[in-house]
């Protein structure tokens, strides 16, 4: 797998490169700003771009905007945003445009090397990885609607689904069996009024509804 | 300053600057007396008018003329007085507020409607002539003192037949000289007192009124306070940037390297592994602490996406469920945003620390030109500004007061606690 890294802090860039290389990624470009990132993606067409949110020259949300451009123009390149703080607004922007092949994690998650490389692989393969803090923030403002009907356990399951975990991942996290997870998920689908007809997408729809980024 | 011997101090001291002050008094005379002909004219016309009852309307314009002249003359005289003060005693009389720019009839009429014009007219018409009398008296003292002190010169210089009652080199002449010298030492003091009196009168009647001065002071203070607030805000942002680009990144890089060491160096002795694990954990905790600290300063997302996004972030990091509802059609000024953010995050911190609440509710909405911030919880209540744990609340009230906001806290024992803050924001 090939990766491009955009991060203006030299120390952290070296760290991320080392972690990715240890995980078997080939880092084909390291850049320090959004412009350089777009040029590198154009040139290398990597499987994943690991992008800092705050970069020169404005030091606000350049990374998020570059990520949106990348997801639109190069759909085969996944984007993993890294940020000192996670802000659900950035995540909402990102997810509203595209829910597959995006990730948004706190920078310090890189330090948990195994979990981080697992998340990078998942995103590069077209999955999702959302930081638990983003998920928590999204919960704060979703207060009305059918989500209130969920039990605390179902909420936990939905949160982990929103974080991008598979059924087995959720089962491991909550220390329950996989069939219990499946049962919770079915109950969630029922409570969120998601009919069985379009079975393959129900998971995404549930997460979108949970995150409040989709209107349907 | 040069050293002066005591005779110099005693003898020359009173006369230092006396010339300029006397010139100031003398220059005041024509300015003060300029309106007297107008007065005489007015009085004369009225005197001619009254015995004739109302039968001579032709004189009415003649009576009105001095008044009209006074309208024109007043600003000129005021300008003259300003020049006199600046040139001779080095003082700038503060100017009263001018009602709008422009020339011509409209602005002249507008000028007439102001209190400051009437005060000026009062100065020139009433205070001026009275001051002129005092001016004359002081100038007469100077003249008499000089004449008496130099009486021997006159006796010597003038031919005998011109002298008043043929005063010779007599004892009376000696008395006159002594008296003149005494007056000569008195005159500068009188002049100084008169300058102070004139300045006082001019300041009261020609300068801005007390209300105007207060209004100006309030405007100045408001501007300077806004400047201080903005500077403090800018400073917080700078510290946030410095920490973000410096210490935080280094710590994260350290944690990443430790994590990498932990996962790649499989053949380490158990001791070394424990040390690395420990360091890794410590680094991550330090990052979390630093993150909270920096966010409390001025989160980047507040600048970037506004209150809604920033407050959701605050609420999400609390251990209790918080509902955040922000309804702002347009964003308030950065300073107001920063204060509102501070209020909510400080209030929520208090809720978690002291209130034993199970949930909290934050509402931010704009009502006209007011930003209304309400933070409510279902905790034990009893929050008190003066209480030991209330330092956070007191700081909150101060920060609100700094932008002329109002703060109120309802917290009966047993709860619930509701903190309401209103922040003014210009449309």
């Amino acid at each position: 797998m090939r990766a491009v890294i955009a991060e203006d802090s030299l120390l952290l860039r070296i760290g991320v490169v080392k972690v990715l290389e240890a995980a078997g990624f080939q880092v084909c470009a390291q850049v320090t700003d959004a412009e350089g990132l777009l040029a590198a993606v154009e040139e290398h067409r990597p499987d994943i771009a690991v992008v800092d949110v705050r970069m020169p020259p404005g030091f606000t949300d350049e990374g998020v905007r570059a990520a949106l451009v990348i997801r639109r123009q190069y759909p085969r390149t996944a984007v993993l945003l890294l940020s000192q703080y996670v802000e659900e607004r950035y995540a909402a922007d990102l997810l509203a445009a595209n829910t597959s092949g995006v990730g948004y994690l706190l920078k310090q998650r890189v330090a948990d090397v195994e979990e981080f490389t697992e998340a990078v692989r998942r995103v590069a393969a077209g999955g999702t990885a959302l930081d638990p803090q983003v998920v928590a923030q999204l919960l704060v403002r979703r207060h009305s609607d059918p989500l209130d009907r969920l039990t605390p356990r179902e909420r936990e399951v939905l949160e982990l689904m929103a974080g991008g975990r598979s059924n087995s991942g959720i089962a491991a996290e909550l220390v329950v069996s996989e069939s219990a997870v499946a049962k919770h998920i079915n109950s969630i689908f029922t409570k969120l009024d998601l009919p069985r007809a379009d079975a393959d997408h129900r998971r995404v729809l549930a997460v979108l509804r949970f995150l409040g980024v989709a209107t349907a | 300053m040069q050293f002066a011997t005591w005779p110099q101090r005693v003898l020359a001291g009173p006369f230092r600057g006396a010339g300029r002050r006397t010139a100031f008094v003398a220059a005041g005379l024509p300015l003060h007396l300029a309106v007297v002909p107008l007065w005489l004219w007015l009085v004369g016309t009225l005197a001619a008018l009254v015995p004739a009852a109302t039968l001579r309307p032709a004189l009415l314009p003649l009576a009105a003329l001095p008044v009209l002249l006074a309208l024109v003359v007043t600003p000129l005289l005021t300008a003259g007085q300003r020049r006199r003060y600046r040139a001779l005693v080095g003082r700038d009389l503060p100017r009263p507020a001018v009602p709008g720019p422009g020339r011509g009839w409209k602005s002249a009429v507008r000028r007439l409607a102001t209190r400051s014009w009437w005060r000026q007219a009062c100065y020139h018409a009433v205070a001026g002539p009275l001051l002129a009398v005092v001016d004359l008296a002081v100038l007469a003292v100077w003249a008499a003192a000089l004449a008496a002190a130099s009486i021997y010169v006159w006796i010597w210089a003038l031919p005998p037949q011109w002298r008043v009652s043929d005063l010779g080199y007599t004892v009376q002449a000696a008395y006159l000289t002594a008296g003149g010298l005494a007056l000569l030492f008195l005159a500068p003091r009188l002049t100084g007192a008169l300058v102070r009196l004139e300045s006082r009168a001019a300041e009261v009647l020609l300068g801005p009124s007390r209300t105007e001065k207060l209004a100006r002071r309030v405007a100045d203070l408001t501007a300077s306070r806004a400047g201080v607030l903005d500077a403090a805000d800018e400073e917080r942002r700078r510290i946030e940037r410095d920490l973000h680009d410096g210490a935080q990144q280094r710590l994260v890089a350290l944690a990443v390297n430790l994590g990498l060491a932990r996962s790649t160096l499989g053949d380490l002795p158990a001791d070394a592994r424990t040390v690395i694990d420990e360091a890794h954990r410590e680094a991550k905790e330090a990052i979390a602490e630093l993150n909270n600290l920096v966010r409390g300063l001025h989160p980047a997302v507040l600048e970037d996406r506004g209150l809604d996004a920033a407050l959701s972030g605050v609420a999400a990091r609390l251990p209790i469920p918080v509902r955040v509802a922000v309804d702002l059609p347009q964003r308030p000024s950065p300073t107001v945003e920063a204060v509102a953010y501070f209020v909510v995050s400080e209030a929520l911190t208090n809720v978690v620390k002291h209130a034993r609440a199970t949930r909290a509710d934050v509402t931010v909405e704009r009502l006209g030109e007011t930003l209304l911030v309400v933070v409510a919880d279902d905790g034990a209540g009893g929050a008190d500004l003066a209480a030991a744990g209330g330092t956070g609340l007191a700081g909150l009230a101060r920060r609100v007061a700094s932008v002329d906001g109002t703060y109120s806290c309802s917290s009966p024992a047993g709860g619930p606690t509701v903190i309401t803050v209103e922040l003014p924001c210009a449309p």
Side-chain angles (χ1 to χ4, degrees):
Chain A
M1 294 259 225
R2 293 167 342 114
V4 164
I5 292 170
E7 161 67 64
D8 57 304
S9 154
L10 175 67
L11 282 173
L12 196 59
R13 194 164 68 232
I14 294 172
V16 174
V17 170
K18 274 196 268 180
V19 169
L20 288 181
E21 281 177 345
F25 280 83
Q26 180 207 338
V27 177
C28 40
Q30 306 175 27
V31 297
T32 56
D33 57 16
E35 241 173 76
L37 170 65
L38 293 177
V41 169
E42 167 69 37
E43 187 188 339
H44 299 286
R45 304 295 169 105
D47 298 295
I48 186 166
V50 179
V51 180
D52 184 8
V53 167
R54 211 155 106 156
M55 280 190 298
F59 293 99
T60 56
D61 60 350
E62 287 79 6
V64 179
R65 282 182 271 139
L68 291 174
V69 173
I70 294 173
R71 287 309 286 149
R72 204 168 49 239
Q73 293 184 357
Y74 314 96
R76 295 171 62 91
T77 298
V79 181
L80 174 61
L81 282 174
L82 292 181
S83 177
Q84 195 71 52
Y85 330 102
V86 289
E87 301 293 353
E88 40 101 1
R89 285 318 143 83
Y90 300 151
D93 284 1
L94 214 56
L95 292 168
N98 202 322
T99 53
S100 63
V102 292
Y104 186 24
L105 296 176
L106 271 177
K107 275 187 181 174
Q108 67 234 46
R109 308 281 180 224
V110 185
D112 297 315
V113 175
E114 286 86 4
E115 281 170 46
F116 178 70
T117 51
E118 196 265 326
V120 178
R121 284 208 189 92
R122 184 156 23 112
V123 173
T128 319
L130 282 190
D131 201 277
Q133 278 201 17
V134 177
V135 177
Q137 278 193 40
L138 286 160
L139 265 173
V140 170
R141 296 183 325 119
R142 314 294 154 221
H143 35 85
S144 56
D145 70 357
L147 288 173
D148 289 341
R149 296 201 292 260
L150 301 184
T151 64
R153 210 346 100 82
E154 285 163 358
R155 259 186 120 79
E156 279 178 313
V157 171
L158 190 49
E159 274 183 57
L160 289 167
M161 267 166 70
R165 304 298 179 90
S166 64
N167 281 13
S168 58
I170 296 171
E173 182 80 30
L174 298 179
V175 203
V176 293
S177 70
E178 238 177 282
S179 67
V181 172
K183 226 188 309 177
H184 286 310
I185 292 178
N186 265 322
S187 159
I188 292 168
F189 290 160
T190 315
K191 286 183 180 174
L192 297 186
D193 298 323
L194 296 170
R196 184 169 283 279
D198 214 352
D200 282 355
H201 292 96
R202 282 201 296 178
R203 201 181 174 91
V204 176
L205 286 176
V207 168
L208 282 178
R209 192 156 298 178
F210 172 65
L211 298 177
V213 289
T215 48
Chain B
M1 196 185 185
Q2 286 178 341
F3 286 101
T5 57
W6 72 264
Q8 269 176 332
R9 267 206 307 275
V10 171
L11 294 175
F15 297 97
R16 195 165 293 135
R20 285 172 75 79
R21 281 197 285 273
T22 312
F24 171 80
V25 170
L29 273 179
L31 285 170
H32 288 324
L33 293 175
V35 287
V36 171
L38 291 176
W39 265 121
L40 294 178
W41 187 351
L42 187 63
V43 171
T45 326
L46 287 177
L49 199 62
V50 170
T54 51
L55 291 174
R56 292 169 68 184
L59 277 177
L60 271 175
L62 279 181
L65 205 56
V67 177
L68 281 176
L69 269 175
L71 296 186
V72 181
V73 163
T74 299
L76 292 177
L77 283 179
T78 304
Q81 292 287 8
R82 279 186 206 293
R83 287 187 71 117
R84 170 178 169 234
Y85 275 91
R86 188 177 345 199
L88 294 170
V89 286
R91 259 182 88 126
D92 272 321
L93 290 179
R95 281 168 191 283
V98 179
R103 288 171 168 278
W105 281 111
K106 272 191 183 169
S107 78
V109 170
R110 220 178 312 136
R111 237 167 261 256
L112 284 188
T114 59
R115 270 165 184 274
S116 72
W117 186 88
W118 284 104
R119 286 187 299 118
Q120 285 175 34
C122 180
Y123 176 88
H124 297 305
V126 180
L130 291 178
L131 286 170
V133 173
V134 188
D135 285 352
L136 269 177
V138 167
L139 290 175
V141 168
W142 272 111
L146 286 171
S150 57
I151 191 75
Y152 282 111
V153 178
W154 300 113
I155 292 169
W156 168 75
L158 293 176
Q161 65 271 24
W162 287 6
R163 290 180 205 145
V164 184
S165 67
D166 200 14
L167 199 67
Y169 296 92
T170 57
V171 179
Q172 280 119 309
Y175 284 147
L176 266 180
T177 309
L181 284 174
L183 267 189
L184 208 52
F185 276 89
L186 189 66
R189 283 165 214 280
L190 281 178
T191 314
L194 180 58
V195 170
R196 281 195 293 280
L197 176 74
E198 287 230 16
S199 306
R200 185 95 189 93
E203 205 169 273
V204 170
L205 291 173
L206 296 184
S209 67
R210 206 178 138 68
T211 325
E212 269 178 31
K213 274 190 210 154
L214 282 177
R216 249 181 235 190
R217 180 126 185 82
V218 168
D220 287 353
L221 285 176
T222 310
S224 75
R225 188 184 57 179
V228 169
L229 280 180
D230 288 349
D233 226 44
E234 181 49 46
E235 185 66 7
R236 268 193 286 276
R237 260 173 265 179
R238 191 189 61 73
I239 295 172
E240 190 265 344
R241 277 196 301 271
D242 286 355
L243 285 174
H244 183 276
D245 298 333
Q248 279 182 323
Q249 307 278 9
R250 279 161 186 270
L251 266 179
V252 171
L254 172 69
V256 169
N257 278 323
L258 285 168
L260 207 56
R262 203 166 151 254
S263 70
T264 50
L265 304 177
D267 51 353
L268 279 178
D271 294 357
R273 175 161 290 279
T274 319
V275 172
I276 290 180
D277 279 357
E278 182 76 1
H280 186 232
R281 198 174 48 73
E282 292 266 350
K284 285 197 292 183
E285 279 170 15
I287 292 167
E289 269 177 40
L290 193 58
N291 278 354
N292 280 337
L293 181 80
V294 171
R295 275 206 61 129
L297 286 172
H298 191 108
V301 72
L302 178 60
E303 232 169 312
D304 208 20
R305 302 279 161 120
L307 272 175
D308 196 3
L311 292 182
S312 309
V314 175
R317 281 176 292 124
L318 295 180
I320 56 169
V322 181
R323 194 184 70 91
V324 177
V326 179
D327 181 17
L328 294 175
Q330 82 232 49
R331 289 179 62 172
S333 75
T335 308
V336 169
E337 267 188 349
V339 173
Y341 175 82
F342 176 80
V343 164
V344 174
S345 70
E346 192 64 26
L348 288 177
T349 310
N350 265 315
V351 168
V352 171
K353 265 197 213 154
H354 306 295
R356 299 195 298 281
T358 59
R359 54 171 291 114
D361 218 284
V362 177
T363 315
V364 180
E365 59 184 323
R366 185 153 179 174
L367 301 172
E369 290 178 18
T370 305
L371 189 74
L372 181 69
V373 181
V374 182
V375 181
D377 69 66
D378 63 350
D384 186 2
L385 263 187
T391 49
L393 286 182
L396 195 151
R398 272 200 301 275
R399 188 88 184 258
V400 169
S402 76
V403 290
D404 287 332
T406 61
Y407 162 93
S408 72
C409 174
S410 146
S411 184
T417 303
V418 180
I419 289 174
T420 310
V421 165
E422 288 178 23
L423 303 170
C425 42

